[in-house]
Amino acid sequence: MDRNALLAGGAVGVVVIAVVAAVVVPGVLADPTDEGPVRPGPVDVADVSIAAGPATGETATLEIATRIDHGGNPTQNVSVLVRAIDAESGLLTTTKQIDVGTITRDGETVTTTNLTVPREGGYDVEVVLYRDAERVDETRKSVRGVSAIKPPHLQSTTSFTESEALPPVSFSIAGTDEDQTTLDLSGTLMNTGDEPADDLSVTFVLRQAESNIVAARTTADAGTVRAGRTETVSTTASVPNDYNYYIDAVLLRDGVVIDTARGAANLNPTRTISVNQTTEDVELRVEDFENGGGDSPTYDSGEEPTQTESSAPGFGAVVALVALVATGLVARRWSQ
Protein backbone atom coordinates (compact mmCIF):
# COMPACT_ATOMS: atom_id res chain seq x y z
CA MET A 1 0.00 0.00 0.00
CA ASP A 2 1.16 3.43 -0.80
CA ARG A 3 2.63 5.10 2.30
CA ASN A 4 1.00 8.43 1.56
CA ALA A 5 -2.39 6.81 1.22
CA LEU A 6 -1.89 5.12 4.59
CA LEU A 7 -1.08 8.38 6.32
CA ALA A 8 -4.06 10.11 4.77
CA GLY A 9 -6.36 7.33 5.90
CA GLY A 10 -5.00 7.55 9.45
CA ALA A 11 -5.59 11.30 9.56
CA VAL A 12 -9.14 10.90 8.35
CA GLY A 13 -9.70 8.26 11.06
CA VAL A 14 -8.46 10.58 13.78
CA VAL A 15 -10.78 13.33 12.57
CA VAL A 16 -13.75 10.99 12.50
CA ILE A 17 -13.02 9.74 16.04
CA ALA A 18 -12.72 13.31 17.32
CA VAL A 19 -16.01 14.29 15.73
CA VAL A 20 -17.78 11.24 17.17
CA ALA A 21 -16.33 11.91 20.64
CA ALA A 22 -17.43 15.54 20.53
CA VAL A 23 -20.96 14.46 19.65
CA VAL A 24 -21.21 11.63 22.18
CA VAL A 25 -19.36 13.41 25.07
CA PRO A 26 -20.17 17.17 25.09
CA GLY A 27 -17.41 19.34 26.46
CA VAL A 28 -14.62 16.91 25.75
CA LEU A 29 -13.12 19.56 23.55
CA ALA A 30 -12.18 22.73 25.45
CA ASP A 31 -13.82 25.99 24.37
CA PRO A 32 -10.98 28.34 23.50
CA THR A 33 -13.11 31.28 24.76
CA ASP A 34 -13.81 29.69 28.16
CA GLU A 35 -12.06 31.66 30.96
CA GLY A 36 -13.15 29.41 33.82
CA PRO A 37 -15.75 30.10 36.62
CA VAL A 38 -17.42 33.54 36.54
CA ARG A 39 -16.49 35.67 39.59
CA PRO A 40 -19.64 37.14 41.24
CA GLY A 41 -19.94 40.91 41.40
CA PRO A 42 -19.42 42.73 44.73
CA VAL A 43 -22.43 43.61 46.95
CA ASP A 44 -22.67 45.82 50.04
CA VAL A 45 -25.25 47.65 52.17
CA ALA A 46 -25.67 51.13 50.73
CA ASP A 47 -28.30 52.44 53.16
CA VAL A 48 -30.94 51.40 55.71
CA SER A 49 -34.11 53.40 56.43
CA ILE A 50 -36.67 52.70 59.14
CA ALA A 51 -40.29 53.87 59.12
CA ALA A 52 -43.13 53.45 61.61
CA GLY A 53 -45.71 50.90 60.60
CA PRO A 54 -48.98 49.76 62.18
CA ALA A 55 -49.20 49.64 65.97
CA THR A 56 -51.39 48.10 68.64
CA GLY A 57 -51.67 48.83 72.32
CA GLU A 58 -48.71 46.52 73.04
CA THR A 59 -46.61 46.31 69.86
CA ALA A 60 -45.27 48.48 67.04
CA THR A 61 -44.11 47.48 63.56
CA LEU A 62 -40.83 48.82 62.17
CA GLU A 63 -40.73 48.93 58.36
CA ILE A 64 -37.07 48.45 57.37
CA ALA A 65 -35.84 49.12 53.82
CA THR A 66 -32.32 47.92 52.93
CA ARG A 67 -30.59 49.25 49.78
CA ILE A 68 -28.04 46.76 48.37
CA ASP A 69 -25.41 48.15 45.99
CA HIS A 70 -24.24 45.75 43.25
CA GLY A 71 -21.94 45.95 40.26
CA GLY A 72 -20.26 43.61 37.77
CA ASN A 73 -21.21 39.99 37.19
CA PRO A 74 -24.44 38.48 38.53
CA THR A 75 -24.32 37.59 42.24
CA GLN A 76 -26.24 34.55 43.43
CA ASN A 77 -27.57 33.45 46.83
CA VAL A 78 -27.85 36.94 48.34
CA SER A 79 -29.75 37.23 51.64
CA VAL A 80 -30.30 39.79 54.39
CA LEU A 81 -30.61 39.16 58.14
CA VAL A 82 -32.45 41.87 60.12
CA ARG A 83 -32.69 41.84 63.92
CA ALA A 84 -33.85 44.21 66.64
CA ILE A 85 -31.92 44.41 69.94
CA ASP A 86 -33.32 46.10 73.04
CA ALA A 87 -31.25 49.26 73.54
CA GLU A 88 -31.43 49.10 77.34
CA SER A 89 -30.93 45.40 78.09
CA GLY A 90 -28.99 44.38 74.98
CA LEU A 91 -31.25 41.34 74.54
CA LEU A 92 -32.33 40.15 71.11
CA THR A 93 -36.00 41.00 70.64
CA THR A 94 -36.81 39.66 67.18
CA THR A 95 -35.08 38.60 63.95
CA LYS A 96 -36.00 37.91 60.34
CA GLN A 97 -34.15 36.49 57.29
CA ILE A 98 -34.92 37.74 53.75
CA ASP A 99 -33.87 35.75 50.68
CA VAL A 100 -32.93 38.21 47.92
CA GLY A 101 -31.80 35.57 45.40
CA THR A 102 -29.68 36.55 42.38
CA ILE A 103 -28.84 40.18 41.66
CA THR A 104 -27.97 40.87 38.03
CA ARG A 105 -28.44 44.59 37.50
CA ASP A 106 -25.87 47.23 38.38
CA GLY A 107 -26.89 49.83 40.94
CA GLU A 108 -29.11 49.55 44.03
CA THR A 109 -31.65 46.88 44.82
CA VAL A 110 -34.16 47.54 47.61
CA THR A 111 -35.44 44.82 49.91
CA THR A 112 -37.98 45.49 52.69
CA THR A 113 -39.06 43.66 55.82
CA ASN A 114 -41.18 44.33 58.90
CA LEU A 115 -40.13 43.72 62.50
CA THR A 116 -42.76 43.72 65.26
CA VAL A 117 -41.41 44.83 68.64
CA PRO A 118 -42.94 45.78 72.03
CA ARG A 119 -44.21 49.38 71.95
CA GLU A 120 -41.81 50.71 74.57
CA GLY A 121 -38.22 51.90 74.92
CA GLY A 122 -35.79 51.87 72.01
CA TYR A 123 -34.01 49.39 69.75
CA ASP A 124 -30.79 48.92 67.80
CA VAL A 125 -31.59 47.48 64.36
CA GLU A 126 -28.80 45.40 62.79
CA VAL A 127 -28.76 44.54 59.08
CA VAL A 128 -26.32 41.83 57.92
CA LEU A 129 -25.74 41.07 54.20
CA TYR A 130 -24.80 37.53 53.13
CA ARG A 131 -23.55 36.04 49.83
CA ASP A 132 -23.48 32.23 49.62
CA ALA A 133 -23.98 32.13 53.43
CA GLU A 134 -20.87 34.30 53.89
CA ARG A 135 -21.17 37.64 55.69
CA VAL A 136 -19.98 40.40 53.38
CA ASP A 137 -21.31 43.60 55.00
CA GLU A 138 -23.38 44.90 57.93
CA THR A 139 -24.71 48.12 59.42
CA ARG A 140 -26.68 49.30 62.46
CA LYS A 141 -29.27 51.99 63.14
CA SER A 142 -30.97 53.07 66.36
CA VAL A 143 -34.64 53.76 67.03
CA ARG A 144 -35.79 55.56 70.20
CA GLY A 145 -39.19 56.48 71.63
CA VAL A 146 -41.12 53.60 70.07
CA SER A 147 -43.96 54.29 72.52
CA ALA A 148 -44.71 57.42 70.45
CA ILE A 149 -46.00 55.16 67.66
CA LYS A 150 -49.67 55.21 68.59
CA PRO A 151 -52.30 52.66 67.58
CA PRO A 152 -55.34 53.95 65.67
CA HIS A 153 -57.53 54.28 68.76
CA LEU A 154 -54.96 56.62 70.35
CA GLN A 155 -54.27 58.73 67.28
CA SER A 156 -55.90 62.15 67.39
CA THR A 157 -55.30 65.62 66.04
CA THR A 158 -56.95 67.17 69.11
CA SER A 159 -55.06 67.86 72.33
CA PHE A 160 -54.77 70.36 75.16
CA THR A 161 -53.04 73.63 74.28
CA GLU A 162 -49.45 74.31 75.36
CA SER A 163 -49.52 78.09 75.64
CA GLU A 164 -49.12 80.45 78.58
CA ALA A 165 -51.65 82.77 77.00
CA LEU A 166 -54.14 79.91 76.63
CA PRO A 167 -53.25 77.49 79.45
CA PRO A 168 -54.55 73.94 79.07
CA VAL A 169 -56.24 74.03 82.49
CA SER A 170 -57.54 77.09 84.34
CA PHE A 171 -60.05 77.93 87.08
CA SER A 172 -61.88 80.78 88.74
CA ILE A 173 -63.82 81.12 92.01
CA ALA A 174 -67.53 80.81 91.40
CA GLY A 175 -68.58 81.09 95.04
CA THR A 176 -67.75 80.17 98.64
CA ASP A 177 -69.58 79.30 101.82
CA GLU A 178 -68.49 78.32 105.31
CA ASP A 179 -66.98 74.95 104.31
CA GLN A 180 -66.85 74.71 100.50
CA THR A 181 -65.44 76.63 97.54
CA THR A 182 -67.04 76.24 94.11
CA LEU A 183 -64.62 76.43 91.17
CA ASP A 184 -65.32 77.14 87.51
CA LEU A 185 -62.99 74.74 85.66
CA SER A 186 -61.89 75.21 82.05
CA GLY A 187 -59.90 73.08 79.64
CA THR A 188 -58.62 74.50 76.33
CA LEU A 189 -58.52 72.13 73.33
CA MET A 190 -56.92 72.60 69.91
CA ASN A 191 -57.61 70.61 66.73
CA THR A 192 -54.56 70.74 64.44
CA GLY A 193 -56.02 68.35 61.86
CA ASP A 194 -57.95 68.84 58.65
CA GLU A 195 -61.13 67.17 59.85
CA PRO A 196 -63.52 67.92 62.75
CA ALA A 197 -62.99 65.94 65.95
CA ASP A 198 -66.10 64.69 67.69
CA ASP A 199 -67.17 62.38 70.52
CA LEU A 200 -64.81 64.20 72.90
CA SER A 201 -65.12 64.72 76.64
CA VAL A 202 -62.92 66.12 79.42
CA THR A 203 -62.77 64.71 82.95
CA PHE A 204 -61.47 67.00 85.73
CA VAL A 205 -60.03 65.37 88.85
CA LEU A 206 -59.15 67.57 91.84
CA ARG A 207 -56.68 66.04 94.31
CA GLN A 208 -55.60 67.55 97.61
CA ALA A 209 -51.90 68.35 97.09
CA GLU A 210 -50.38 66.92 100.29
CA SER A 211 -52.48 63.78 100.71
CA ASN A 212 -53.37 63.02 97.07
CA ILE A 213 -56.98 62.48 98.14
CA VAL A 214 -59.53 63.02 95.36
CA ALA A 215 -61.73 65.87 96.52
CA ALA A 216 -63.92 66.14 93.40
CA ARG A 217 -64.40 64.61 89.98
CA THR A 218 -66.54 65.88 87.12
CA THR A 219 -66.86 65.26 83.35
CA ALA A 220 -67.83 67.79 80.67
CA ASP A 221 -68.93 67.01 77.11
CA ALA A 222 -66.56 68.69 74.63
CA GLY A 223 -68.81 68.11 71.63
CA THR A 224 -67.10 68.71 68.28
CA VAL A 225 -63.91 70.71 67.76
CA ARG A 226 -63.69 72.01 64.18
CA ALA A 227 -60.54 71.65 62.11
CA GLY A 228 -57.92 74.25 62.98
CA ARG A 229 -60.03 75.64 65.84
CA THR A 230 -59.50 76.09 69.59
CA GLU A 231 -62.39 75.41 71.95
CA THR A 232 -62.86 75.73 75.72
CA VAL A 233 -64.69 73.13 77.82
CA SER A 234 -66.10 74.33 81.15
CA THR A 235 -67.72 72.80 84.22
CA THR A 236 -67.89 73.37 88.02
CA ALA A 237 -66.74 71.47 91.09
CA SER A 238 -66.89 72.11 94.85
CA VAL A 239 -64.03 71.34 97.24
CA PRO A 240 -63.31 71.98 100.94
CA ASN A 241 -61.86 75.37 101.83
CA ASP A 242 -58.29 76.19 102.88
CA TYR A 243 -56.51 73.43 100.92
CA ASN A 244 -54.38 73.35 97.79
CA TYR A 245 -55.35 71.14 94.86
CA TYR A 246 -53.91 69.69 91.67
CA ILE A 247 -56.38 69.83 88.78
CA ASP A 248 -55.83 66.90 86.41
CA ALA A 249 -57.69 67.18 83.09
CA VAL A 250 -58.12 64.06 80.95
CA LEU A 251 -59.22 64.29 77.31
CA LEU A 252 -61.16 61.23 76.15
CA ARG A 253 -62.60 60.11 72.84
CA ASP A 254 -65.15 57.31 73.05
CA GLY A 255 -63.75 56.32 76.44
CA VAL A 256 -60.08 56.27 75.30
CA VAL A 257 -57.56 58.67 76.89
CA ILE A 258 -55.84 60.68 74.15
CA ASP A 259 -54.25 63.52 76.16
CA THR A 260 -53.78 64.84 79.71
CA ALA A 261 -52.89 68.18 81.33
CA ARG A 262 -52.48 69.56 84.85
CA GLY A 263 -53.17 72.79 86.70
CA ALA A 264 -53.00 73.93 90.33
CA ALA A 265 -55.48 75.67 92.62
CA ASN A 266 -54.08 77.38 95.73
CA LEU A 267 -56.91 77.85 98.20
CA ASN A 268 -54.63 77.84 101.26
CA PRO A 269 -53.29 81.41 101.63
CA THR A 270 -50.32 80.30 103.76
CA ARG A 271 -48.85 77.83 101.23
CA THR A 272 -48.75 77.57 97.46
CA ILE A 273 -48.04 74.76 95.00
CA SER A 274 -47.14 74.72 91.30
CA VAL A 275 -47.65 72.23 88.49
CA ASN A 276 -43.93 71.41 88.17
CA GLN A 277 -43.20 71.43 91.89
CA THR A 278 -41.20 68.50 93.27
CA THR A 279 -42.93 66.93 96.27
CA GLU A 280 -41.53 64.71 99.00
CA ASP A 281 -43.09 62.43 101.59
CA VAL A 282 -43.39 63.84 105.12
CA GLU A 283 -43.37 61.34 107.97
CA LEU A 284 -46.32 61.68 110.33
CA ARG A 285 -45.22 61.36 113.97
CA VAL A 286 -48.23 59.96 115.80
CA GLU A 287 -46.60 60.42 119.19
CA ASP A 288 -46.70 64.18 118.69
CA PHE A 289 -50.47 64.01 119.08
CA GLU A 290 -50.73 61.55 121.97
CA ASN A 291 -52.11 62.66 125.39
CA GLY A 292 -53.92 65.54 123.82
CA GLY A 293 -50.74 67.26 122.67
CA GLY A 294 -49.64 68.20 126.24
CA ASP A 295 -46.35 69.84 127.18
CA SER A 296 -44.58 66.63 128.18
CA PRO A 297 -40.78 66.87 127.95
CA THR A 298 -39.09 65.31 124.95
CA TYR A 299 -35.60 63.88 124.60
CA ASP A 300 -33.18 63.37 121.80
CA SER A 301 -32.94 59.85 120.43
CA GLY A 302 -30.45 57.73 122.40
CA GLU A 303 -30.33 59.99 125.49
CA GLU A 304 -31.74 59.01 128.86
CA PRO A 305 -33.52 61.61 131.03
CA THR A 306 -31.58 62.76 134.11
CA GLN A 307 -33.02 61.34 137.35
CA THR A 308 -32.85 63.43 140.60
CA GLU A 309 -33.43 61.96 144.07
CA SER A 310 -35.44 64.06 146.50
CA SER A 311 -37.08 63.70 149.94
CA ALA A 312 -40.02 65.29 151.61
CA PRO A 313 -39.33 68.99 152.29
CA GLY A 314 -38.59 70.03 155.96
CA PHE A 315 -37.61 66.60 157.38
CA GLY A 316 -34.05 65.98 156.26
CA ALA A 317 -32.16 67.92 158.98
CA VAL A 318 -34.52 66.98 161.86
CA VAL A 319 -34.30 63.28 161.14
CA ALA A 320 -30.50 63.46 161.04
CA LEU A 321 -30.36 65.27 164.44
CA VAL A 322 -32.71 62.77 166.15
CA ALA A 323 -30.64 59.88 164.82
CA LEU A 324 -27.45 61.42 166.20
CA VAL A 325 -28.94 61.96 169.71
CA ALA A 326 -30.35 58.44 169.82
CA THR A 327 -27.00 56.99 168.88
CA GLY A 328 -25.28 58.93 171.72
CA LEU A 329 -27.79 57.74 174.35
CA VAL A 330 -27.44 54.14 173.30
CA ALA A 331 -23.65 54.34 173.45
CA ARG A 332 -23.69 55.94 176.96
CA ARG A 333 -26.05 53.26 178.29
CA TRP A 334 -23.80 50.44 177.04
CA SER A 335 -20.77 52.10 178.63
CA GLN A 336 -22.44 52.08 182.10
Side-chain angles (χ1 to χ4, degrees), residues 134-270:
E134 178 184 357
R135 179 181 299 197
V136 294
D137 197 12
E138 63 180 284
T139 189
R140 171 183 288 209
K141 278 202 170 183
S142 297
V143 178
R144 297 294 182 266
V146 177
S147 59
I149 306 175
K150 295 183 179 181
H153 66 275
L154 292 180
Q155 295 176 4
S156 175
T157 59
T158 305
S159 62
F160 288 104
T161 58
E162 298 180 358
S163 169
E164 294 184 359
L166 288 174
V169 179
S170 58
F171 78 97
S172 61
I173 305 296
T176 61
D177 57 25
E178 189 173 325
D179 300 319
Q180 298 275 317
T181 296
T182 300
L183 304 178
D184 280 333
L185 306 174
S186 297
T188 307
L189 306 177
M190 179 175 57
N191 183 2
T192 58
D194 298 328
E195 299 292 334
D198 52 13
D199 202 15
L200 300 173
S201 63
V202 177
T203 296
F204 295 92
V205 181
L206 286 82
R207 296 180 296 107
Q208 201 270 330
E210 288 76 19
S211 66
N212 209 37
I213 296 174
V214 175
R217 185 195 306 268
T218 182
T219 300
D221 184 9
T224 300
V225 180
R226 293 175 296 167
R229 297 294 197 274
T230 299
E231 302 287 348
T232 300
V233 182
S234 300
T235 186
T236 61
S238 296
V239 293
N241 295 334
D242 299 330
Y243 289 98
N244 296 329
Y245 299 92
Y246 288 117
I247 307 173
D248 289 324
V250 183
L251 176 62
L252 301 101
R253 183 185 61 196
D254 193 23
V256 177
V257 176
I258 58 177
D259 198 16
T260 60
R262 170 176 285 189
N266 293 300
L267 304 184
N268 183 349
T270 63

Side-chain angles (χ1 to χ4, degrees), residues 50 62 64 82-84 123-127 139-141 143:
I50 304 175
L62 304 179
I64 303 168
V82 183
R83 55 189 180 185
Y123 299 90
D124 295 324
V125 177
E126 289 187 348
V127 178
T139 189
R140 171 183 288 209
K141 278 202 170 183
V143 178

